[in-house]
């Protein structure tokens, strides 16, 4: 079964889409797991709280290492064993988040991000990446009442650069990207995803 990732800026609606997608996949009786980054393992969740705690400050390159460490543990402990077992694996965020946020968003050279992540992901790239694309201004409105984590507190300019980065990645990796308008209804987004899944599962 394939490995699939879901990407998008903060507030693009990934969590809503994932929970609806889960329901639909359960109805279909598919064998699948859903995970999130950073996190998804005991160590990963500890790293997640370090990364997102507004009381700490980290440089962009320090972030790259921490996200890559969380990713390495997730790939080794969860993703590879699940794929080996024949499960479909869906991850909310993966290496493209590091390229978009730490690379396009914060100026870490993309080459360096690939080099640090290469041993972490052990050659595992997703077969399909769904990008929920949306104007950050709309997200700002959506996230208005949410308690913000450290990255979300960095503001609109970061989210704009991250969005631009994702669109560049979608252009570069055309063969694995599915670009979806995140202002559409979650039900519609999920049926597009299911259509595409049918194609990659075959
Ligand atoms: P996320 O799980 O998207 O947030 P929420 O719990 O609010 O839905 O939070 C992860 C944050 O980490 C998000 O702002 C994006 C950022 N991030 C990076 O900057 N680089 C990465 O490699 C990853 C995986 C996430």
């Amino acid at each position: 079964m394939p490995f699939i990732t879901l990407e998008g800026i903060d507030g693009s609606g990934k969590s809503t889409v994932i929970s609806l997608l889960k329901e639909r996949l359960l109805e279909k009786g598919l064998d699948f797991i859903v995970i999130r980054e950073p996190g998804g393992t005991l160590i990963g969740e500890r790293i997640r709280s370090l990364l997102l705690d507004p009381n700490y400050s980290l440089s962009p390159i320090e972030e790259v290492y921490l996200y890559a460490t969380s990713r390495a543990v997730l790939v080794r402990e969860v993703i590879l064993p699940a794929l080996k077992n024949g499960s479909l694996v869906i991850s909310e965020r993966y290496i493209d988040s590091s390229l978009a946020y730490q690379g396009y968003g914060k100026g870490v050279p993309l080459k360096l991000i690939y080099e640090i992540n290469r041993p972490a992901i052990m050659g595992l790239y997703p077969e399909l990446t769904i990008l929920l694309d949306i104007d950050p201004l709309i997200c700002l409105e959506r996230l208005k009442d949410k308690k913000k984590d450290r990255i979300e507190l960095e503001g609109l300019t970061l989210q704009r650069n991250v969005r631009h980065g994702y669109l560049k990645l979608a252009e570069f990796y055309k063969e694995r990207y599915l670009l979806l308008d995140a202002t559409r209804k979650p039900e519609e987004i999920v049926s597009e995803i299911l259509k595409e899944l049918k194609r990659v599962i075959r």
Side-chain angles (χ1 to χ4, degrees):
M1 286 280 225
F3 171 44
I4 285 161
T5 59
L6 186 64
E7 298 279 354
I9 62 170
D10 295 287
S12 55
K14 290 184 302 304
S15 310
T16 314
V17 165
I18 286 260
S19 60
L20 207 61
L21 182 62
K22 263 190 198 167
E23 281 174 26
R24 301 289 302 276
L25 292 175
L26 279 174
E27 283 162 20
K28 289 185 186 299
L30 268 183
D31 182 6
F32 70 95
I33 61 163
V34 174
I35 49 186
R36 70 161 180 187
E37 269 207 10
T41 62
L42 289 176
I43 290 174
E45 291 297 329
R46 303 271 303 257
I47 295 177
R48 180 184 176 88
S49 49
L50 288 176
L51 274 161
L52 301 183
D53 188 335
N55 295 313
Y56 298 140
S57 105
L58 286 162
S59 74
I61 187 67
E62 290 159 359
E63 289 180 8
V64 172
Y65 282 113
L66 279 180
Y67 283 113
T69 305
S70 164
R71 184 165 301 131
V73 182
L74 187 67
V75 169
R76 177 177 55 78
E77 277 190 358
V78 181
I79 304 181
L80 288 178
L83 290 173
K84 208 168 154 206
N85 266 333
S87 294
L88 164 68
V89 178
I90 303 171
S91 181
E92 192 175 337
R93 301 194 180 281
Y94 193 59
I95 183 174
D96 294 12
S97 281
S98 290
L99 295 166
Y101 281 80
Q102 281 66 45
Y104 288 95
K106 303 186 180 189
V108 178
L110 298 183
K111 192 163 167 276
L112 191 53
I113 300 177
Y114 280 114
E115 276 164 13
I116 291 167
N117 274 271
R118 196 167 298 128
I121 65 174
M122 295 191 265
L124 180 71
Y125 278 92
E127 269 140 272
L128 171 64
T129 297
I130 296 138
L131 173 58
L132 298 183
D133 179 57
I134 189 165
D135 184 337
L137 265 182
I138 302 176
C139 298
L140 204 67
E141 190 55 30
R142 284 187 185 173
L143 293 175
K144 203 170 60 202
D145 301 323
K146 182 184 178 241
K147 189 166 177 295
K148 305 216 177 11
D149 65 43
R150 193 177 57 84
I151 307 277
E152 286 162 353
L153 285 169
E154 293 182 48
L156 196 58
T157 310
L158 173 68
Q159 299 297 328
R160 285 204 169 114
N161 292 334
V162 172
R163 180 195 194 190
H164 163 79
Y166 273 131
L167 292 172
K168 285 267 177 215
L169 290 170
E171 225 175 271
F172 191 72
Y173 292 114
K174 265 198 200 80
E175 64 302 335
R176 74 165 155 97
Y177 258 83
L178 173 67
L179 178 65
L180 294 175
D181 174 356
T183 60
R184 292 170 68 185
K185 289 202 189 75
E187 292 76 15
E188 283 176 25
I189 294 178
V190 168
S191 43
E192 293 280 344
I193 296 175
L194 288 170
K195 248 193 261 165
E196 195 64 17
L197 265 181
K198 238 190 208 160
R199 198 182 60 76
V200 289
I201 287 179
R202 253 182 310 159

